[in-house]
């Protein structure tokens, strides 16, 4: 009996990461990779992979993860539960006729699936590229797994909007735009590793650019434009500070010429101009602050639903209406046409968080990016993580941030998958860097 109790106690005894069995590490990495690749095209397989990765990841983090600083992230899960319970409880008290019968605790907690996934990705140096590469590959082959293959691409070139069966065009543009940004961030280090890698990288950049162009998602065009301008402005300022007067003039001149060339290219592109001018009437109405005159176009539908949401936000600004808040806006705003109510969401992640969980919920969301970002850039400044990862984090944060202004990605599986795979890779780099630093400090003589 004593021996059995001792064996049971040892099962839950915490150990070092180096004491993990190899088979468990390989199983964890494999399950995350399968999930990353199959989620867009083979959801049933992805469900098995994600379940296995999450369960084993939580066990691995508990059993062997004492050395990594996961406490603040795990506390986020408890905070998410508390926010959802409090919001639901207040709704039951203040507006019980509109409150849900039981609280839905998965709306915020599913944002943190990346924590157990990151544990497995951190176990091997190359695992991050395996997982991110698998996710990118699953998206790149989507025309032949969920879409219409070459026929759909040809239809897009001929003027039809395409989405490859990934929910809708906005979600497809989010994925391909992210891969395009990642390729640009890592072109230089990959070229330095092997100059012949420029050939496949160049082909993939052309492929992703073509998809985004014929996809005709204006929010993706805007998000990429904002990301490009922000990045080039930062890099220009950075180079000017370190350069001689002659090189400063050259950098500024090239930056201005680049802006002129980009503006000329966009203004003379019929597809871009025609897509933007569709919203001319809505843009003019907004510019003149006549919101009531905004037509119910694609942008107009979004704007009117946001205006409707503000009335609900004003009533419960701190903790919102609960997980069904966005639905209440669409169902109980009498002046919205029924056709808009059928959408069931607000086409804006930030508005939906405000309606559902109030200012507290929105601050909570941004704090995730802030905490992860601070941890990442601390390791970059100390030289433990390469700066390209920092560029990727900053550019994706910009691109993702703009995209979420026009679509409720955080409330669809596409956005949750995107967020968790990306954050799993970033957190794995942080954990791996801090773990290696701890080992280095431990081995140094006193």
């Amino acid at each position: 009996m004593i021996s059995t109790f001792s064996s049971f106690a040892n099962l839950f005894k915490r150990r070092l990461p180096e004491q993990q069995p190899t088979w468990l590490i390989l199983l964890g990495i494999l399950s995350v990779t399968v999930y990353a690749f199959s989620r867009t095209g083979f959801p049933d397989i992805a469900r098995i992979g994600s379940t296995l990765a999450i369960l084993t990841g939580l066990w691995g983090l508990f059993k062997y993860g004492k050395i990594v600083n996961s406490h603040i992230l795990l506390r986020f899960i408890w905070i998410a539960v508390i926010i959802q319970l409090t919001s639901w409880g207040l709704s039951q008290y203040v507006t019980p006729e509109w409150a849900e019968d039981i609280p839905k605790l998965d709306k915020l907690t599913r944002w943190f699936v990346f924590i157990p996934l990151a544990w497995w990705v951190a176990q091997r140096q190359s695992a991050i590229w395996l997982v991110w590469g698998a996710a990118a590959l699953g998206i790149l082959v989507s025309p032949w797994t969920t879409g219409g293959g070459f026929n759909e691409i040809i239809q897009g070139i001929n003027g039809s909007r395409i989405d490859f069966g990934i929910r809708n065009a906005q979600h497809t543009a989010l994925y391909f735009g992210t891969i395009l940004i990642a390729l640009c961030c890592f072109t230089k280090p990959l070229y330095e590793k092997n100059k012949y890698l420029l050939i496949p990288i160049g082909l993939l950049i052309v492929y992703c650019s073509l998809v985004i162009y014929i996809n005709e998602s204006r929010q993706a065009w805007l998000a990429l434009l904002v990301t490009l301008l922000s990045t080039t402005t930062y890099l220009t300022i950075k180079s000017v500070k370190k350069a001689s007067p002659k090189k400063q003039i050259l950098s500024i001149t090239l930056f201005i010429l680049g802006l002129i060339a980009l503006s000329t290219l966009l203004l003379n592109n019929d597809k871009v101009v025609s897509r933007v001018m569709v919203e001319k009437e809505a843009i003019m109405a907004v510019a003149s602050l006549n919101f009531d005159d905004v037509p119910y176009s694609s942008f107009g539908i979004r704007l009117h639903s946001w205006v409707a949401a503000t009335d609900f936000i004003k009533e419960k600004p701190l903790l919102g209406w609960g997980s069904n808040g966005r639905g209440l806006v669409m169902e109980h705003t009498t002046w919205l046409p029924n056709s808009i109510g059928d959408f069931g969401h607000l086409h804006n992640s930030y508005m939906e968080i405000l309606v559902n969980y109030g200012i507290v919920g929105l601050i909570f969301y941004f704090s995730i990016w802030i905490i992860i970002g601070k941890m990442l850039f601390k390791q970059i400044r100390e030289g433990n993580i390469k700066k390209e990862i920092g560029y990727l984090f900053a550019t994706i944060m910009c691109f993702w941030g703009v995209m979420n202004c026009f679509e409720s990605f955080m409330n669809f599986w596409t956005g949750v998958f995107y967020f968790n795979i990306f954050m799993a890779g970033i957190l794995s780099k942080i954990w791996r860097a801090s773990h290696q630093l701890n080992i280095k400090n431990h081995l140094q003589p006193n």
Side-chain angles (χ1 to χ4, degrees), residues 183-292:
L183 288 168
C184 293
C185 287
F186 294 120
T187 294
K188 183 180 177 181
L190 288 172
Y191 171 76
E192 291 173 349
K193 187 174 182 179
N194 188 331
K195 63 181 180 180
Y196 293 108
L197 288 174
L198 275 184
I199 298 174
I201 290 173
L203 292 174
L204 288 174
I205 287 175
V206 170
Y207 173 43
C208 291
S209 300
L210 175 65
V211 170
I212 294 166
Y213 178 64
I214 62 180
N215 172 269
E216 297 187 9
S217 176
R218 287 169 300 203
Q219 69 193 70
W221 293 350
L222 176 63
L224 285 172
L225 182 61
V226 171
T227 303
L228 175 62
L229 292 176
S230 301
T231 305
T232 52
T233 301
Y234 167 77
L235 293 176
T236 301
I237 293 173
K238 184 179 177 181
S239 65
V240 165
K241 286 182 177 179
K242 297 180 180 179
S244 62
K246 287 185 178 180
K247 289 186 176 180
Q248 288 179 349
I249 295 173
L250 178 62
S251 296
I252 294 172
T253 302
L254 289 174
F255 177 71
I256 294 173
L257 290 175
L259 288 179
I260 295 172
L262 179 63
S263 301
T264 303
L265 180 65
L266 293 176
L267 293 174
N268 287 280
N269 187 289
D270 293 337
K271 184 186 286 287
V272 173
V273 172
S274 62
R275 280 290 292 162
V276 173
M277 293 307 291
V278 167
E279 300 290 352
K280 179 181 178 181
E281 188 178 348
I283 294 171
M284 294 297 291
V286 171
S288 59
L289 301 181
N290 296 320
F291 298 112
D292 293 337

Side-chain angles (χ1 to χ4, degrees), residues 43-64:
D44 293 333
I45 296 175
R47 200 171 295 115
I48 297 171
S50 63
T51 301
L52 188 59
I54 293 169
L55 293 178
T56 56
L58 288 172
W59 169 253
L61 193 57
F62 164 75
K63 178 75 173 178
Y64 305 100

Side-chain angles (χ1 to χ4, degrees), residues 166-176 407 409 412 414-415:
I166 305 177
R167 188 164 186 89
N168 61 39
Q170 287 77 26
H171 298 253
T172 305
L174 170 71
Y175 284 165
F176 278 86
E407 189 57 88
F409 290 111
F412 292 107
T414 47

Side-chain angles (χ1 to χ4, degrees), residues 30-87:
L30 177 63
S31 59
V32 178
T33 304
V34 168
Y35 168 61
F37 172 75
S38 61
R39 184 60 188 93
T40 49
F42 310 96
D44 293 333
I45 296 175
R47 200 171 295 115
I48 297 171
S50 63
T51 301
L52 188 59
I54 293 169
L55 293 178
T56 56
L58 288 172
W59 169 253
L61 193 57
F62 164 75
K63 178 75 173 178
Y64 305 100
K66 184 177 181 180
I67 197 170
V68 298
N69 183 21
S70 61
H71 303 299
I72 188 169
L73 295 170
L74 293 173
R75 289 189 191 115
F76 267 122
I77 299 177
W78 290 109
I79 294 171
V81 172
I82 292 170
I83 289 174
Q84 291 172 110
L85 283 175
T86 306
S87 179

